[in-house]
Amino acid sequence: MNKELIINASGDVVEIALLEDKRLVELHYEQGKDDFAVGDLYLGKVKKLMPGLNAAFVDVGYEKDAFLHYTDLSPHFNSLVKFSRQSIEGNKSWGNDFSKFKNEPVILKAGKITEVIHHKPEIVVQILKEPISAKGPRLSCEISLPGRFLVMTPFNDSVSVSRKIHSAEERKRLQKIVEAVKPRNYGMIVRTAAEGKGTEELHADVHELVNMWDTIQANLKGAKAPQKILGEQTKTTSILRDLLNDSFQRVVSNDKRIADDAREYISRIAPEKAEIVSFHNNSMNIFDQYGVSKQVKASFGQTVSMGSGSYLIIQHTEALHVIDVNSGTRSADAGQEQNALATNLEAVAEIARQMRLRDLGGIVIVDFIDMKLPENKRQVFDAMEAAMGPDRARHTILPISKFGLMQITRQRLRPELNINTSEECPTCKGTGKIGPTMLLADNIERDLNYLVDQGHRELLLKVHPIVEAYLTKGFFFSSIRHKWSKKYRTKLTVAGDNSFPITQYRYFDARTNDSINL
C-alpha cells in the first residue's frame, strides 16, 4: 500500500490529506493557534468537585471548565500532584535527575474523588478529548508522551508491548531492550512500529522522550494555572511519527517552511526517507494536482456513491451515527443473496474509509442489506474487522444482529469533520427562486433594444439550447430571431451553450467576441 501526505497551506489554516493507493482516507485541519488539541499538556487548577459524578471540573483556560473523571486520575495521581507542586516552586527534591524522584502511594482503583483531591490543587493534566459541541475538554492525569517507537508514562517502571506484535519472541526481545535502556521512574509502552527495530533506534527514542519530560519540568517552573505547558507536535509531524514506514512514497506541501520542517523531522527519525519530501511550486492548486479536491467533493455529504451503483446514506444525531447501505442500480442477476453480499462487502470498505475520513466517533449503526445465510453475515463481519484494522482510533465491532444491523463504537477524540459540498445555484443565487420564464423573451428583447440604441449593429446572443430552439424555430423569415433583426435593423446571431442555466443569457459583440455588460 502506497501512502502519500498532501499538505495545503492557506493563510493560517493547514489542510493535510492522507492518501492510501491514491484514495483519500484522512483529512486533517490545523489552525495557526490550535489550542486544546489531544495530547496537549496544561497546568490546570481544580475548581469544583462533583461527588455525584465522581469527577472534578478543572480550569485549563477554556471558556468552559474541563472534565476530569476519577477513572482518568491515574494510579500515580499523588505523585503527579507532588511533582507539579515542587516543579512550580522550583524546589525539586530530585534535583535534575528524575530517576531519584520518590513516588507517593498509588490511589485506589475504585475510590472517591473527594478522598483523593484536597484543597483544589494545581496539577499537570493532558487533553484526552477536544472540546466537542457544548462540552469542554476531557482531561487525563495519566500522562503519556508518544515517540515513534515508544510511549512514555512517568512515575512507574513498567514496560509493556503492543498486542499487535504477535510473535512471543519478538515481544520478549523488545521488552528486554527497553528495560535495559530506559532510566528509572519512566514507564514505557512499546508501539507496533518498534517491531524489528534494534537497540540503537529504541535508545534514541527513549532519549528524546526523556528530553521532552525535562522540557516539561523546565516549563513548569514559576507557571501559574491555567497555562499551556507543552503542545502536541504539529499535525504533520504527528502523522509522520505515527505512520511513517516503507510504504510512504511522498510528502508534498505548497508551503516551503512546512516542507523543510517535515524534511528535517524525517531526516532525524528516518534519514533514508528524507528524499520523499518535496515542495509544490506550481500555479495549480496542490489539492487539484493530486486529486484531493475531487475526492473531498465526492466523499462528503449525506449520500456517498460507490463504483457499482450502490450507495451509502450517512446521517448523524447527537447520540449516534447511522449508515444505510443501498443497492442502487446494482444488477440482481446473481440472485438476491449473492447481490446483497456483494453490495455489503463493497460497502464495508467505504464505511471504514468514511469513519476515518469524517472522524466519526461514538456509536455507529450500520444497516446492511438483509442476508439470510449466517456464513454471509460472518463474512461481512470479518471484512469489517479487516477494513478497520489500519484505523488508529480504538474501536469495537459487534456481529450483524438478526435485524441486519451492525453496531460499532469508535473512539471520539475530536469533533466530526463535516464539509459542505453543495454549491450556490448560479441561477437562483441560493434563494430557491428564479425569474418567470414566460418573461424571458421580453427581457432579452428589451436588452437588445438598449444595445442597438448604444450603437451595436452586430450581436451574438448566447442562451441555453432550449431557449435557442425557441428563438430560432420555424422558417428563417418567421423565427423570433429574424423578426428582432428586422425590427431593430441589426445582425443578430443566436448560439446555444449547455453551461447556461435556462434563464441566463448574455450578449457579445460579434466582431470582437467581447462580452457586453448590461
Side-chain angles (χ1 to χ4, degrees):
M1 180 183 292
N2 293 330
K3 294 181 181 178
E4 299 170 285
L5 208 60
I6 313 301
I7 306 165
N8 178 35
S10 177
D12 63 344
V13 177
V14 179
E15 301 171 284
I16 305 166
L18 176 64
L19 307 182
E20 291 180 355
D21 292 334
K22 304 296 183 182
R23 281 178 59 97
L24 180 66
V25 294
E26 290 185 22
L27 188 62
H28 301 272
Y29 286 85
E30 185 176 36
Q31 300 263 336
K33 189 178 179 182
D34 207 358
D35 288 335
F36 308 105
V38 174
D40 285 353
L41 292 178
Y42 280 82
L43 178 64
K45 183 174 180 61
V46 176
K47 299 290 285 187
K48 188 177 182 181
L49 298 180
M50 302 292 291
L53 297 174
N54 203 18
F57 284 100
V58 182
D59 180 13
V60 292
Y62 188 66
E63 58 191 37
K64 291 190 174 183
D65 287 341
F67 184 77
L68 176 64
H69 195 268
Y70 185 90
T71 54
D72 295 318
L73 284 185
S74 162
H76 308 284
F77 178 76
N78 291 329
S79 298
L80 179 64
V81 173
K82 173 184 173 182
F83 168 82
S84 302
R85 185 184 67 253
Q86 293 190 13
S87 295
I88 294 168
E89 295 170 353
N91 184 25
K92 298 185 293 184
S93 58
W94 61 95
N96 294 321
D97 186 359
F98 185 70
S99 64
K100 296 178 181 177
F101 179 87
K102 292 183 179 179
N103 288 323
E104 297 295 311
V106 298
I107 65 174
L108 296 174
K109 190 174 182 180
K112 302 292 183 183
I113 194 100
T114 51
E115 297 171 353
V116 175
I117 299 182
H118 308 286
H119 310 300
K120 298 181 179 179
E122 294 184 349
I123 48 172
V124 176
V125 290
Q126 191 165 31
I127 304 295
L128 191 62
K129 290 184 181 180
E130 294 178 9
I132 297 174
S133 187
K135 301 174 183 177
R138 180 159 181 173
L139 305 177
S140 172
C141 288
E142 196 150 6
I143 308 300
S144 61
L145 304 177
R148 190 180 178 202
F149 305 122
L150 304 167
V151 176
M152 188 185 80
T153 56
F155 308 112
N156 69 84
D157 282 301
S158 66
V159 175
S160 57
V161 183
S162 169
R163 295 176 184 175
K164 293 183 179 180
I165 299 177
H166 301 297
S167 169
E169 290 184 3
E170 178 65 6
R171 292 169 64 87
K172 189 178 292 185
R173 183 188 74 86
L174 291 170
Q175 186 164 2
K176 283 184 177 180
I177 292 175
V178 175
E179 285 176 346
V181 299
K182 80 168 191 68
R184 185 176 174 273
N185 273 345
Y186 293 98
M188 295 289 173
I189 301 170
V190 183
R191 306 180 72 171
T192 312
E195 190 169 9
K197 302 303 177 184
T199 304
E200 185 179 353
E201 292 167 298
L202 296 174
H203 187 267
D205 214 31
V206 168
H207 182 69
E208 192 164 326
L209 291 171
V210 169
N211 286 341
M212 196 183 300
W213 187 245
D214 290 340
T215 301
I216 292 168
Q217 296 180 61
N219 292 345
L220 275 171
K221 186 176 181 179
K224 294 183 179 179
Q227 183 175 323
K228 190 174 185 177
I229 300 301
L230 188 72
E232 171 66 297
Q233 295 174 317
T234 64
K235 285 277 196 304
T236 303
T237 52
S238 65
I239 291 172
L240 290 172
R241 178 195 66 205
D242 293 341
L243 297 179
L244 186 65
N245 55 30
D246 293 338
S247 64
F248 250 96
Q249 301 298 314
R250 179 186 287 121
V251 178
V252 56
S253 172
N254 63 349
D255 185 289
K256 196 169 189 312
R257 180 186 59 80
I258 293 176
D260 290 342
D261 288 347
R263 186 180 295 107
E264 187 275 332
Y265 180 74
I266 294 177
S267 297
R268 195 168 74 248
I269 65 172
E272 72 282 359
K273 302 289 288 184
E275 75 281 355
I276 68 173
V277 182
S278 61
F279 170 56
H280 177 82
N281 188 15
N282 194 312
S283 58
M284 187 175 184
N285 182 281
I286 187 171
F287 271 13
D288 293 342
Q289 173 88 25
Y290 293 96
V292 176
S293 299
K294 187 175 181 180
Q295 291 194 59
V296 169
K297 290 287 186 184
S299 300
F300 286 86
Q302 183 172 292
T303 303
V304 179
S305 299
M306 294 182 287
S308 67
S310 52
Y311 61 94
L312 306 175
I313 294 178
I314 303 175
Q315 296 178 317
H316 67 91
T317 68
E318 186 68 22
L320 51 81
H321 304 273
V322 180
I323 302 176
D324 185 33
V325 181
N326 294 272
S327 58
T329 58
R330 178 186 277 274
S331 171
D333 295 341
Q336 183 176 350
E337 183 74 10
Q338 283 303 311
N339 183 61
L341 175 61
T343 302
N344 288 339
L345 289 175
E346 182 183 22
V348 159
E350 185 60 31
I351 290 168
R353 171 176 172 261
Q354 286 291 328
M355 284 195 284
R356 288 177 67 187
L357 187 56
R358 302 183 187 220
D359 212 357
L360 301 184
I363 300 173
V364 181
I365 305 295
V366 184
D367 183 9
F368 284 107
I369 298 173
D370 289 340
M371 297 177 293
K372 295 180 180 179
L373 300 179
E375 56 266 30
N376 289 344
K377 293 182 180 181
R378 181 70 195 184
Q379 189 175 342
V380 171
F381 172 73
D382 292 341
M384 180 62 81
E385 285 197 319
M388 291 192 67
D391 196 337
R392 289 178 289 162
R394 291 196 301 270
H395 55 269
T396 303
I397 308 170
L398 297 182
I400 297 176
S401 71
K402 63 180 180 180
F403 298 118
L405 304 177
M406 176 181 285
Q407 301 173 67
I408 302 171
T409 60
R410 186 174 182 273
Q411 186 180 22
R412 187 178 186 183
L413 298 177
R414 51 185 64 88
E416 173 193 353
L417 180 59
N418 191 13
I419 297 175
N420 184 12
T421 58
S422 60
E423 298 178 357
E424 185 180 276
C425 172
T427 304
C428 71
K429 304 300 181 186
T431 64
K433 298 178 181 179
I434 61 173
T437 54
M438 64 186 302
L439 298 181
L440 180 61
D442 292 344
N443 293 336
I444 295 174
E445 184 180 4
R446 181 198 62 212
D447 288 341
L448 175 62
N449 183 27
Y450 170 78
L451 292 175
V452 170
D453 288 344
Q454 296 297 312
H456 293 279
R457 289 294 176 266
E458 290 188 33
L459 293 168
L460 169 65
L461 172 64
K462 286 190 177 182
V463 291
H464 188 277
I466 292 177
V467 180
E468 177 201 15
Y470 171 74
L471 296 177
T472 59
K473 72 177 180 179
F475 293 108
F476 180 78
F477 294 108
S478 64
S479 68
I480 295 175
R481 183 200 66 80
H482 178 74
K483 290 177 181 177
W484 285 351
S485 294
K486 186 176 180 181
K487 179 179 179 180
Y488 297 106
R489 297 181 181 180
T490 185
K491 184 178 179 181
L492 176 64
T493 305
V494 179
D497 191 325
N498 283 311
S499 67
F500 277 41
I502 195 165
T503 58
Q504 183 180 344
Y505 61 91
R506 182 169 294 174
Y507 280 102
F508 294 81
D509 188 308
R511 296 175 180 175
T512 63
N513 206 33
D514 292 334
S515 176
I516 302 173
N517 293 322
L518 290 168

